[in-house]
Amino acid sequence: MNAPLRAGCLRSRIAAVGGEDRWLWGRDRSVPLISIFGETRLGARRDDLAGKSILIRTRDQLCAALVLIELDGAAKRLIIAPPDLDDAHLASVMEDGAADVIVGDLPPPPGLGVEFVPLGAPQPRTRSNFAPRRSEWVMFTSGTTGRPKMVVHSLDGLAGAIAPGDPDDPDDPPIWGTFYDIRRYGGLQMLLRALLGGGSMVLSSPEESATDFLTRLGARGVTHLSATPSHWRRALMSPAIQAVKPRYIRLSGEIADQAVLDSLKAAFPGTPVGHAYASTEAGVGFEVNDGLEGFPADFMGREDGDVRMKVVDGSLRLRSSRTASAYVGGGDALADADGFVDTGDMVEQRGMRFYFTGRRSGVINVGGLKIHPEEVEAVINRHPGVRMSLVKGRKSPITGAIVVAEVVANGEESETVKAEILDLCRAVLPPFKTPTAIRFVEALAVTPGGKLERRLA
Amino acid sequence: MAVRSIITEQMQSIAAQQNKSLARLSDDLVLLDCGLDSLCFAILVARLEDELGFDPFSTDDDVYFPTTFGDFVAFYERAA
């Protein structure tokens, strides 16, 4: 099973894995995977696209998946536009990415002067007239404002963390579902797991509530379900969570604290819950499957696997064949002199384990003392009356900032709960890290990438 | 409620929460000696902003910090 995963274009790898009755299910339409072998949705234009650099810009995820499957191995470069790519950035993206043409179901705004190849109805596929090549896969980094930044990956690197024959049981192939969008790194990982692991996938839609998506996941019989901790906290608030009976639960994209891991274990007794560490730049780092937050300290010195890790100035650096090779259009170096990518994720060793404390860029500075909002949220989230929380800085003329918290209650919003949360914080955090005020809110905003929205103070 | 009593009440409540012993609040009490640290003062200014609707520190262009409790009360009363 090893060889087919590591060689050939995406379509031939899917073929090599085999399997029957495999589907990509969207909200409004679905495509049987078998159809990708005999059909094209690009018509006669398909051969013209060989060797081109292509911006894939689509309204829905299914369409993006189909273009990726059709054009990997033909295109020089596949640039995957995230769903929230602003029209105002299209020109700079085309320029930075040296894109020749846009392919998808979203015509570019008139006046941009870019060639557009729409995805049409499926037609029988004729033999291709081009030599297969290794296409570059270009993804957008998350969390930047202004001119979008992109990194270059390859299918080999993207699929590098996927064990051959990942689906445990060939008689019961996995049905993947994810709250992620497959046009971002985390979601693309799940799509590739489904495609290369002999499975099917249920694709999410932004027009759908968490409850509707959970209901649809349940109806399709999802077996492998992946989401960010923020997505999971919201899903756990929905009665429709009972509709799904996954046999594997995965978290990534944000710090998985003990509270969310424990809530998932309680909601799905006996189901393995794993959390993974990955970033668009650094690729998939590792998976943690012992049900505990953080990761074992011996991961750090490990020399046997594909990934090398080190900590420099408190932040985690990774080197592996899965890291992106470069930023598109040059600019900053992606990796340090030794090939390590600085993730900007801060870690702290306590005993035999490392814990994520937060993003370097998200630090709150209280009179010169640094606080990662995530470490305070992890404490607040331990309270059973808390579903999720957001800690942020409030400007202060005295100390520059003070720590405040917004909390989504899991049940009653009372002064008693507030007081208990503060007691919990005071018991384990120094005073400057303890929230100076707690406010109950109905909901907390989650970014299109599934992460808690943090507006820096 | 008068600005002075709101300030007094908040200082007492913050001192209690932060486990500080607050000196008797007289007008000539030097704030540095009142028992509250700078974090307590940061909390105090934020609470007073919520309660009174203004923060004289951020509206005042001069870099001024009252030195005694009396100055502090007067500073808030002037801005009210």
Side-chain angles (χ1 to χ4, degrees), chain A residues 46 81 115 126 290 355 402:
Chain A
R46 194 169 150 268
E115 193 192 352
T126 51
D290 60 9
Y355 296 89
I402 51 174

PDB file of all heavy atoms in Angstrom, chain A residues 46 81 115 126 290 355 402:
ATOM      1  N   ARG A  46      -9.316  21.392 -20.731  1.00  0.00           N
ATOM      2  CA  ARG A  46      -8.487  20.688 -19.769  1.00  0.00           C
ATOM      3  C   ARG A  46      -7.022  20.626 -20.218  1.00  0.00           C
ATOM      4  O   ARG A  46      -6.121  20.963 -19.449  1.00  0.00           O
ATOM      5  CB  ARG A  46      -9.046  19.276 -19.566  1.00  0.00           C
ATOM      6  CG  ARG A  46      -8.479  18.586 -18.371  1.00  0.00           C
ATOM      7  CD  ARG A  46      -9.248  17.322 -18.065  1.00  0.00           C
ATOM      8  NE  ARG A  46      -8.324  16.390 -17.452  1.00  0.00           N
ATOM      9  CZ  ARG A  46      -7.626  15.499 -18.131  1.00  0.00           C
ATOM     10  NH1 ARG A  46      -7.795  15.374 -19.426  1.00  0.00           N
ATOM     11  NH2 ARG A  46      -6.777  14.707 -17.507  1.00  0.00           N
ATOM     12  N   ALA A  81      -7.475  29.259  -3.371  1.00  0.00           N
ATOM     13  CA  ALA A  81      -7.989  30.471  -2.718  1.00  0.00           C
ATOM     14  C   ALA A  81      -8.882  30.087  -1.550  1.00  0.00           C
ATOM     15  O   ALA A  81      -9.790  29.273  -1.709  1.00  0.00           O
ATOM     16  CB  ALA A  81      -8.759  31.318  -3.717  1.00  0.00           C
ATOM     17  N   GLU A 115      -7.971  35.590 -17.496  1.00  0.00           N
ATOM     18  CA  GLU A 115      -8.676  34.495 -18.145  1.00  0.00           C
ATOM     19  C   GLU A 115      -9.363  33.632 -17.081  1.00  0.00           C
ATOM     20  O   GLU A 115      -8.811  33.391 -16.007  1.00  0.00           O
ATOM     21  CB  GLU A 115      -7.690  33.644 -18.939  1.00  0.00           C
ATOM     22  CG  GLU A 115      -8.387  32.679 -19.876  1.00  0.00           C
ATOM     23  CD  GLU A 115      -7.440  31.640 -20.456  1.00  0.00           C
ATOM     24  OE1 GLU A 115      -6.213  31.748 -20.263  1.00  0.00           O
ATOM     25  OE2 GLU A 115      -7.953  30.706 -21.096  1.00  0.00           O
ATOM     26  N   THR A 126     -11.363  12.362 -22.328  1.00  0.00           N
ATOM     27  CA  THR A 126     -10.516  11.737 -23.341  1.00  0.00           C
ATOM     28  C   THR A 126      -9.116  11.621 -22.779  1.00  0.00           C
ATOM     29  O   THR A 126      -8.787  12.220 -21.761  1.00  0.00           O
ATOM     30  CB  THR A 126     -10.484  12.580 -24.623  1.00  0.00           C
ATOM     31  OG1 THR A 126     -10.157  13.912 -24.242  1.00  0.00           O
ATOM     32  CG2 THR A 126     -11.831  12.555 -25.318  1.00  0.00           C
ATOM     33  N   ASP A 290      -3.011  10.388  23.771  1.00  0.00           N
ATOM     34  CA  ASP A 290      -3.168   9.867  25.128  1.00  0.00           C
ATOM     35  C   ASP A 290      -4.272  10.577  25.913  1.00  0.00           C
ATOM     36  O   ASP A 290      -4.435  10.353  27.117  1.00  0.00           O
ATOM     37  CB  ASP A 290      -1.833   9.920  25.891  1.00  0.00           C
ATOM     38  CG  ASP A 290      -1.270  11.338  26.010  1.00  0.00           C
ATOM     39  OD1 ASP A 290      -1.990  12.302  25.649  1.00  0.00           O
ATOM     40  OD2 ASP A 290      -0.119  11.482  26.461  1.00  0.00           O
ATOM     41  N   TYR A 355       3.552  22.078  27.199  1.00  0.00           N
ATOM     42  CA  TYR A 355       2.206  22.649  27.062  1.00  0.00           C
ATOM     43  C   TYR A 355       2.292  23.872  26.170  1.00  0.00           C
ATOM     44  O   TYR A 355       3.257  24.636  26.244  1.00  0.00           O
ATOM     45  CB  TYR A 355       1.658  23.053  28.438  1.00  0.00           C
ATOM     46  CG  TYR A 355       1.482  21.867  29.358  1.00  0.00           C
ATOM     47  CD1 TYR A 355       2.534  21.456  30.176  1.00  0.00           C
ATOM     48  CD2 TYR A 355       0.302  21.138  29.368  1.00  0.00           C
ATOM     49  CE1 TYR A 355       2.401  20.349  31.000  1.00  0.00           C
ATOM     50  CE2 TYR A 355       0.162  20.034  30.193  1.00  0.00           C
ATOM     51  CZ  TYR A 355       1.214  19.637  31.003  1.00  0.00           C
ATOM     52  OH  TYR A 355       1.087  18.534  31.815  1.00  0.00           O
ATOM     53  N   ILE A 402      -4.908  45.427  31.180  1.00  0.00           N
ATOM     54  CA  ILE A 402      -5.289  44.475  32.218  1.00  0.00           C
ATOM     55  C   ILE A 402      -6.064  43.350  31.532  1.00  0.00           C
ATOM     56  O   ILE A 402      -6.541  43.510  30.404  1.00  0.00           O
ATOM     57  CB  ILE A 402      -6.143  45.105  33.348  1.00  0.00           C
ATOM     58  CG1 ILE A 402      -7.324  45.884  32.770  1.00  0.00           C
ATOM     59  CG2 ILE A 402      -5.296  45.990  34.242  1.00  0.00           C
ATOM     60  CD1 ILE A 402      -8.278  46.417  33.832  1.00  0.00           C
TER      61      ILE A 402
END
